[in-house]
Amino acid sequence: MQINKVKEYNIANVLKFRGKIKGNEANNILSSALTKIGKEGFAINGPIISATHSIENDCGNQIFDFELIIPINGVMTSSDGFVYKDKFEINNALMFRHIGNPQTMDSEMQEFSRYMQENNLKPVTPFYNVTVKTASNPEETDDVVIEVYVGVK
């Protein structure tokens, strides 16, 4: 696994969602965002980004502090829990690329964390998953490409 140092990762014109959700609600939020983008006459303009800021336990149910960032091809009005931002950026980042089933990323995430610890680097952002290539059917799951970015100091 190759870990790269990236001075800055940024994308212009994004629609963001940030909130506490149950794990099974992430796809509904993505679907709502895509519908909103389409109804407003815009299109996705890059890879979709997600992050989990924290996980809480509520009577046996996991509650995620979840962030979804979708690059779009224009300036959009914020509404319905979605906020338009003119820019999303991560400064002083580390990155690695995973190719394959997303459920097999655990060992790479452990190696990534170990690298930061061994190099006295402290994460100052959550781990952002940038989905470069998705699977449109189950047969393509092993071809998924995800880049993981984290800002460090």
Side-chain angles (χ1 to χ4, degrees), residues 28-99:
N28 294 340
I29 291 166
L30 175 59
S31 180
S32 294
L34 297 178
T35 299
K36 180 172 178 49
I37 291 165
K39 281 184 179 177
E40 296 282 333
F42 295 100
I44 295 174
N45 192 28
I48 295 174
I49 304 165
S50 64
T52 300
H53 290 261
S54 66
I55 302 172
E56 300 171 5
N57 218 333
D58 180 31
C59 300
N61 294 317
Q62 287 188 322
I63 306 295
F64 297 85
D65 181 354
F66 176 73
E67 184 175 15
L68 179 67
I69 302 154
I70 304 172
I72 57 175
N73 65 341
V75 177
M76 199 168 157
T77 305
S78 299
S79 69
D80 302 325
F82 298 99
V83 178
Y84 170 81
K85 297 282 186 181
D86 61 353
K87 187 176 186 181
F88 168 76
E89 66 184 359
I90 307 169
N91 294 305
N92 196 36
L94 293 178
M95 183 276 284
F96 79 89
R97 178 177 269 219
H98 171 81
I99 300 172

Side-chain angles (χ1 to χ4, degrees), residues 77-146:
T77 305
S78 299
S79 69
D80 302 325
F82 298 99
V83 178
Y84 170 81
K85 297 282 186 181
D86 61 353
K87 187 176 186 181
F88 168 76
E89 66 184 359
I90 307 169
N91 294 305
N92 196 36
L94 293 178
M95 183 276 284
F96 79 89
R97 178 177 269 219
H98 171 81
I99 300 172
N101 189 324
Q103 295 181 346
T104 64
M105 286 177 59
D106 285 349
S107 63
E108 290 167 310
M109 287 300 294
Q110 289 172 2
E111 185 178 338
F112 196 45
S113 294
R114 199 169 30 253
Y115 174 89
M116 286 188 292
Q117 190 173 34
E118 289 170 357
N119 290 280
N120 296 316
L121 299 168
K122 306 275 187 248
V124 294
T125 69
F127 293 86
Y128 285 97
N129 297 317
V130 179
T131 306
V132 176
K133 181 180 177 193
T134 62
S136 53
N137 61 58
E139 291 79 34
E140 295 177 354
T141 303
D142 290 335
D143 299 326
V144 170
V145 177
I146 298 173

Side-chain angles (χ1 to χ4, degrees), residues 8-36:
E8 179 182 81
Y9 176 83
N10 66 53
I11 297 177
N13 300 327
V14 298
L15 193 64
K16 290 179 65 172
F17 168 87
R18 170 114 186 244
K20 294 192 177 196
I21 65 166
K22 294 178 182 170
N24 59 352
E25 295 175 330
N27 284 335
N28 294 340
I29 291 166
L30 175 59
S31 180
S32 294
L34 297 178
T35 299
K36 180 172 178 49

